[in-house]
Amino acid sequence: MKHKLAIIGFGTVGQGFCEILLQKKEYLKKKYDFEWSVVAVADFAYGNVYNENGLDVEEMVGLAQKKEKFVKDAVDWETLELIERCNADTVCELTFTDLKTGGPAVDHVKTALASGKSVVTSNKGPAALMYPEMKKLADEQGVKFMIEGTVVAGTPIVNLAEGPLAGCEISKIRGILNGTTNYILSEMEKGLPYEEVLKSAQELGYAEADPTGDVEGYDARGKVTILANVVMGAELDIEDVACQGITKITPDDIKFAKEQGKRWKLIGSVENKDGKVTGSVAPEMVDLSHPLAGIMGATNALTFTTDLLGDVTIVGPGAGRIETGFSILTDVLAIGKR
Amino acid sequence: MKHKLAIIGFGTVGQGFCEILLQKKEYLKKKYDFEWSVVAVADFAYGNVYNENGLDVEEMVGLAQKKEKFVKDAVDWETLELIERCNADTVCELTFTDLKTGGPAVDHVKTALASGKSVVTSNKGPAALMYPEMKKLADEQGVKFMIEGTVVAGTPIVNLAEGPLAGCEISKIRGILNGTTNYILSEMEKGLPYEEVLKSAQELGYAEADPTGDVEGYDARGKVTILANVVMGAELDIEDVACQGITKITPDDIKFAKEQGKRWKLIGSVENKDGKVTGSVAPEMVDLSHPLAGIMGATNALTFTTDLLGDVTIVGPGAGRIETGFSILTDVLAIGKR
């Protein structure tokens, strides 16, 4: 039987995910006995569509790339109604992140879970702001709420901690969780001041026009909150996480670190001390011999400190259309493969 | 119901595994609803014991630490008979590695699988020499043959590739798979010749009296063969893997690499080119900016090159009593947790 998907938000990640689904159709069937159909798509730009027997995904990706609206299978249901009424097994919430209110994503997730559908999301909003509540709702409904894509794109973090590291107790997680700031800090080592590097990062598309969310550490803070609540089982609010960005780092600071055999990194960390979990985001001078010191540019990395294995570090891409699309696939596969 | 274990080989890893089981008894029950009992232990030094209702593991660990034989529940069955007749769900094969013949471990594994028991092992022999055959037997019997501990101790490699990376196609695996040689190469950067570093490594217990298996690359070759056959689905013989060790590296070579901004590493690699899988072990000059260059001493690291995520690198301990004991726990948990 095909695993039926609803895709809410057909932007970069939604389209990337669909491209992977199309490209890997045969592979997924052969290797994992996994077959899929996309029954519902909702997007504020392209419209809402529904077909309980499966939509024409290839055509829809083509339309979206030409910025044209969906026509076939169009419905006049609002998105929440679509989520509730559709016959999807799993709802993929891929709309924009709003770390203040959670945005419409929160209602999308709640509605999906309440109507007995699993949710997979790369949206940091619902995961950072209300994971404990959503997880409880999912458990009550006997469905899944999976969020691998909210931290370090598809690089396995949550699924690594919960799968292959199962049995280890994790006392600390520390890492580089934001590619934009890591890129800026890497470039500043060439002796350039912060403002100049930020400007060229914006021109290259590595930083947004309003870079606040990245450079003030808010994006990393959202991820730290998620790690604390998902991996450590805490119930932190995002404001509980102390947060300092990189805007005050000067070329002199960079030079000073260099002279000491160190390097500035924006480090997000979560620590469990005797059952009390705390989180923080702050620039730190990391020793050059530390695995995190070598992580340059847009790459992300996380070190888990465990009781049985000591330190285990994973390094991988922290963003990207296909890389984040994969995070959705991996969680959907975990739910739907036989 | 308790998951029933047989432990074949009660040396460093077997005792380390039992210590974890004892120490984590409550945690495993609470977090994973996993309860265990050890019903059989076989060891050529301490004897063979069996109790279908569970042995006194704590006492046995104590006896082994005092180098005393087991008395309670002793049986005069040979090990193969014990494996066949015991009521274990899973047999943990933890005897010594023999990369030439596979040693008695091969018969232990075969007998366990043939009698319908799952096998978890950290023994490179059966995994490197006959994984495809053993896996087929396990599949026929509807049981598992799991080998996480054969490569990089408990640091997740196989379980990372098969779990959280599921859906990615892996075209290349490259890494530092042997701690002894990595330690020697790290120490040689101080300007010391190979022979001198080897001698102090032997004195420190980092290298064996007969270091051939490590320094000629044979240990890494076994792991490369396992990765090729388990992760890439190949059917390589260990001799198919080209192998060169580190014995010919001189202080001049080390200096030459340094001058070029590089560093010698013994690299094991597996590559899948259009469905043809090849493996090799050889010293390479790695660029200092590469994540593998920063891996010093006894730490191991592996980079997976994938179609959807690009490069994903994992760094962790490559040896150790508890670290390898954990590899057994993680595989047993995957089989036995509810």
Side-chain angles (χ1 to χ4, degrees):
Chain A
M1 224 178 56
K2 289 181 181 175
H3 192 83
K4 293 185 287 299
L5 299 164
I7 298 178
I8 312 304
F10 206 68
T12 313
V13 177
Q15 292 172 42
F17 174 50
C18 284
E19 280 169 45
I20 297 173
L21 285 178
L22 289 167
Q23 178 203 325
K24 296 228 164 193
K25 193 164 190 161
E26 292 310 313
Y27 175 79
L28 294 172
K29 175 159 171 43
K30 198 174 157 202
K31 179 135 190 187
Y32 302 106
D33 196 12
F34 176 80
E35 294 184 274
W36 55 268
S37 73
V38 175
V39 294
V41 171
D43 188 277
F44 75 97
Y46 310 116
N48 291 1
V49 289
Y50 179 52
N51 186 326
E52 60 178 12
N53 298 313
L55 298 159
D56 185 340
V57 177
E58 200 163 355
E59 187 183 279
M60 293 168 65
V61 170
L63 284 171
Q65 277 163 1
K66 289 184 286 177
K67 305 278 170 206
E68 290 177 18
K69 277 187 182 294
F70 303 143
V71 180
K72 213 159 58 181
D73 299 311
V75 289
D76 58 5
W77 305 344
E78 294 294 329
T79 300
L80 291 181
E81 187 182 356
L82 179 64
I83 291 172
E84 192 168 7
R85 288 177 62 174
C86 76
N87 66 341
D89 301 303
T90 297
V91 173
C92 306
E93 214 299 331
L94 310 176
T95 67
F96 61 96
T97 288
D98 177 340
L99 278 177
K100 292 215 176 75
T101 67
V106 166
D107 291 327
H108 298 161
V109 173
K110 271 190 192 163
T111 302
L113 295 174
S115 63
K117 299 172 178 84
S118 288
V119 171
V120 170
T121 189
S122 57
N123 189 320
K124 285 179 284 294
L129 299 177
M130 39 187 67
Y131 182 82
E133 183 187 336
M134 299 293 182
K135 179 67 169 62
K136 193 164 161 260
L137 179 55
D139 287 347
E140 282 166 9
Q141 293 283 341
V143 295
K144 301 280 182 188
F145 177 48
M146 297 186 76
I147 55 111
E148 179 65 69
T150 62
V151 185
V152 195
T155 303
I157 303 296
V158 175
N159 294 339
L160 176 64
E162 308 215 320
L165 291 180
C168 278
E169 280 160 89
I170 297 168
S171 56
K172 203 165 26 170
I173 311 176
R174 266 170 64 82
I176 295 167
L177 292 167
N178 180 274
T180 305
T181 47
N182 201 48
Y183 172 81
I184 292 174
L185 291 173
S186 297
E187 287 295 297
M188 282 179 75
E189 296 211 354
K190 296 175 185 163
L192 304 169
Y194 169 76
E195 291 76 15
E196 197 172 314
V197 173
L198 173 63
K199 203 167 153 247
S200 66
Q202 286 170 320
E203 282 163 9
L204 288 164
Y206 292 169
E208 291 178 48
D210 175 1
T212 318
D214 289 319
V215 299
E216 295 294 355
Y218 301 145
D219 172 74
R221 180 168 69 166
K223 293 168 182 169
V224 163
T225 312
I226 293 169
L227 289 171
N229 293 353
V230 179
V231 177
M232 301 273 203
E235 299 202 359
L236 295 192
D237 283 331
I238 197 164
E239 281 83 17
D240 297 336
V241 175
C243 181
Q244 192 189 330
I246 63 159
T247 54
K248 295 197 181 90
I249 295 193
T250 64
D252 277 352
D253 293 330
I254 302 274
K255 208 175 136 212
F256 177 75
K258 220 176 200 170
E259 285 163 7
Q260 306 206 4
K262 297 189 176 185
R263 177 175 275 162
W264 286 99
K265 291 290 176 192
L266 184 66
I267 300 290
S269 80
V270 186
E271 196 163 354
N272 184 338
K273 262 192 185 159
D274 307 320
K276 185 170 159 41
V277 176
T278 54
S280 70
V281 173
E284 277 182 35
M285 288 196 297
V286 174
D287 208 275
L288 280 183
S289 67
H290 191 281
L292 294 180
I295 308 302
M296 303 303 276
T299 303
N300 284 189
L302 264 187
T303 300
F304 295 93
T305 300
T306 72
D307 57 345
L308 300 179
L309 287 177
D311 281 2
V312 174
T313 301
I314 186 150
V315 183
R321 198 172 56 95
I322 293 296
E323 291 83 349
T324 308
F326 168 72
S327 76
I328 307 303
L329 175 67
T330 194
D331 280 349
V332 165
L333 260 187
I335 296 171
K337 78 174 175 191
R338 276 165 279 187
Chain B
M1 225 178 54
K2 288 182 181 176
H3 193 83
K4 295 186 286 299
L5 299 164
I7 297 177
I8 312 304
F10 206 67
T12 314
V13 178
Q15 292 173 43
F17 173 51
C18 284
E19 281 169 44
I20 297 173
L21 285 177
L22 290 166
Q23 178 203 325
K24 296 229 166 193
K25 194 164 190 161
E26 293 309 313
Y27 175 79
L28 295 172
K29 176 160 171 44
K30 197 173 157 202
K31 179 136 189 187
Y32 303 105
D33 195 14
F34 177 80
E35 293 184 275
W36 55 268
S37 73
V38 175
V39 294
V41 171
D43 189 276
F44 74 99
Y46 310 116
N48 291 2
V49 289
Y50 178 53
N51 185 326
E52 58 179 13
N53 298 313
L55 299 160
D56 184 341
V57 177
E58 200 163 355
E59 187 183 279
M60 293 168 65
V61 170
L63 285 170
Q65 277 164 1
K66 291 184 284 177
K67 305 277 169 206
E68 290 177 17
K69 277 189 183 292
F70 304 142
V71 181
K72 212 160 59 182
D73 299 311
V75 290
D76 59 3
W77 306 343
E78 295 293 331
T79 301
L80 290 181
E81 188 181 357
L82 179 64
I83 291 171
E84 191 167 8
R85 287 177 61 173
C86 76
N87 66 341
D89 302 302
T90 298
V91 173
C92 306
E93 213 299 332
L94 311 176
T95 67
F96 61 96
T97 289
D98 177 339
L99 278 176
K100 291 216 176 74
T101 66
V106 166
D107 291 327
H108 298 161
V109 172
K110 271 189 194 164
T111 303
L113 295 174
S115 62
K117 299 171 179 84
S118 289
V119 171
V120 170
T121 188
S122 56
N123 188 320
K124 284 179 284 294
L129 299 176
M130 41 186 66
Y131 182 82
E133 183 186 336
M134 299 294 183
K135 179 66 169 62
K136 194 164 161 260
L137 180 55
D139 287 346
E140 284 166 8
Q141 293 283 341
V143 295
K144 300 281 182 189
F145 177 48
M146 296 186 77
I147 55 113
E148 179 65 68
T150 62
V151 184
V152 195
T155 303
I157 304 296
V158 174
N159 293 340
L160 176 63
E162 307 215 320
L165 290 181
C168 278
E169 281 159 88
I170 296 168
S171 56
K172 201 163 30 168
I173 311 176
R174 266 169 65 82
I176 296 166
L177 292 167
N178 181 274
T180 306
T181 47
N182 202 48
Y183 172 82
I184 293 174
L185 291 173
S186 297
E187 288 296 296
M188 282 179 74
E189 295 211 354
K190 296 175 184 164
L192 304 169
Y194 168 77
E195 290 76 16
E196 197 173 313
V197 173
L198 173 63
K199 205 169 152 243
S200 65
Q202 285 170 321
E203 282 162 10
L204 287 163
Y206 294 168
E208 292 178 46
D210 175 0
T212 319
D214 289 319
V215 299
E216 295 294 355
Y218 302 145
D219 172 74
R221 180 169 67 167
K223 293 168 182 167
V224 163
T225 312
I226 293 169
L227 289 171
N229 293 353
V230 179
V231 177
M232 300 273 203
E235 299 202 358
L236 295 192
D237 283 333
I238 198 164
E239 282 84 16
D240 296 337
V241 175
C243 181
Q244 192 189 329
I246 63 160
T247 54
K248 296 199 181 88
I249 295 194
T250 64
D252 278 351
D253 293 330
I254 302 274
K255 209 176 135 210
F256 177 75
K258 219 176 201 169
E259 285 162 6
Q260 307 207 2
K262 297 189 177 187
R263 176 176 275 162
W264 286 99
K265 291 290 174 192
L266 184 65
I267 300 289
S269 79
V270 187
E271 196 163 355
N272 184 338
K273 262 193 185 158
D274 307 319
K276 187 170 160 39
V277 176
T278 55
S280 70
V281 173
E284 277 182 35
M285 289 196 296
V286 173
D287 208 277
L288 280 183
S289 66
H290 191 279
L292 294 180
I295 308 301
M296 304 303 275
T299 303
N300 284 189
L302 263 187
T303 300
F304 295 94
T305 300
T306 72
D307 56 345
L308 300 179
L309 287 177
D311 281 3
V312 174
T313 301
I314 185 149
V315 183
R321 198 173 56 96
I322 293 296
E323 292 82 349
T324 309
F326 168 71
S327 75
I328 307 303
L329 175 66
T330 195
D331 279 350
V332 165
L333 260 186
I335 296 171
K337 78 176 174 189
R338 276 164 280 188

